[in-house]
Amino acid sequence: MNVRIRDWQDKRVWLVGASSGIGAALAKTLIARGARVAATARSQDALDALVGKKGLAVAADVTQPDALAAAYGRIRAAWGGVDVVVYLAGTYKPQRAWELTVADARRHVEVNLMGVYHLLPLVLPGLLAQKSGAIAIVSSVAGYRGLPNSLAYGPTKAALINLAEALYIDLAPRGVGVFLVNPGFVETPLTAQNTFRMPALISAEAAADEILRGFARGEFEIHFPKRFTRMLATLRHLPYALYFPAVRKSTGT
Ligand SMILES: NC(=O)c1ccc[n+]([C@@H]2O[C@H](COP(=O)([O-])OP(=O)(O)OC[C@H]3O[C@@H](n4cnc5c(N)ncnc54)[C@H](OP(=O)(O)O)[C@@H]3O)[C@@H](O)[C@H]2O)c1
């Protein structure tokens, strides 16, 4: 569905949300495969330690469009542009309906969703002019349907799935790939706060490998681990009368 990306040698890759977890693992793997990696997140120290002298550590808060634009300006000044952009910045706070606050909801929307809208106008003109390259958006299987503890997080991830689909329709015919990444549970600082058992939990390194395998296959949706995400894909198509009892049973809520 997308042009396959197999050879990362000298590819200019911008990872947004790369100071820890899946983004950091992806940065290390890509550097090992010869890519030029620009890493963005809020913590400059973590980015410096991650990419060292081999890449660009460009700190920015994705909720601040000017800061993100300045980060992209530094990348463009160094490399002239980018080939692949991966949006991984995300925040997650598990909460039930009676714990939800407006501030929490707003933070999820700002980081998980609005950050992409801040990013797209920066990178799209260059990618469209090149008629090549790709944008990958890391959403989640939590965006498929409503799940417990996901009142602020889930809707942002559902929106990202819809956004990636709409982007694909516009960009693929113009030579720019769009990849939607939907992980299951990955062991990272983000999920460390979960107190429930996470089925089919995988490491951040395994997640990075899955993402690169998906790029190599040119898949629009890269989802993993399949033993978990296939089950959620089935749940996605159940009628509500079956979906809600199945979720209650499998999550104990
Ligand atoms: N772990 C999972 O099981 C799982 C499952 C499905 C989807 N995902 C998604 O995968 C992505 C990566 O998550 P992860 O699990 O690797 O968690 P993580 O280790 O917490 O990584 C989140 C990244 O986002 C960055 N970030 C957060 N707020 C930011 C902001 N305002 N501006 C710039 N960067 C910001 C963080 O860096 P700073 O704090 O330094 O800014 C960090 O680099 C997220 O979108 C998450 O929703 C994760």
Side-chain angles (χ1 to χ4, degrees), residues 72 76 119-131:
Y72 182 57
R76 226 176 24 177
L119 177 70
L120 290 174
L122 300 175
V123 297
L124 278 181
L127 291 171
L128 285 168
Q130 286 167 208
K131 298 189 176 60

Side-chain angles (χ1 to χ4, degrees), residues 168-188:
Y168 181 86
I169 290 165
D170 276 353
L171 299 184
R174 291 168 174 78
V176 179
V178 178
F179 293 84
L180 166 66
V181 182
N182 285 329
F185 287 113
V186 183
E187 197 171 5
T188 69

Side-chain angles (χ1 to χ4, degrees), residues 134-188:
I135 296 172
I137 294 178
V138 179
S139 177
S140 167
V141 290
Y144 285 172
R145 290 186 87 168
L147 289 170
N149 281 308
S150 206
L151 282 98
Y153 183 76
T156 64
K157 295 300 183 178
L160 289 180
I161 292 172
N162 191 294
L163 172 58
E165 291 169 355
L167 276 175
Y168 181 86
I169 290 165
D170 276 353
L171 299 184
R174 291 168 174 78
V176 179
V178 178
F179 293 84
L180 166 66
V181 182
N182 285 329
F185 287 113
V186 183
E187 197 171 5
T188 69

Side-chain angles (χ1 to χ4, degrees), residues 17-23 41-43 60-63 88-90 111 138-140 153 157 183-186 188-191:
S19 62
S20 61
I22 302 169
R42 288 165 301 177
S43 45
D61 184 330
V62 296
T63 68
L88 303 113
V111 176
V138 179
S139 177
S140 167
Y153 183 76
K157 295 300 183 178
F185 287 113
V186 183
T188 69
L190 187 128
T191 48

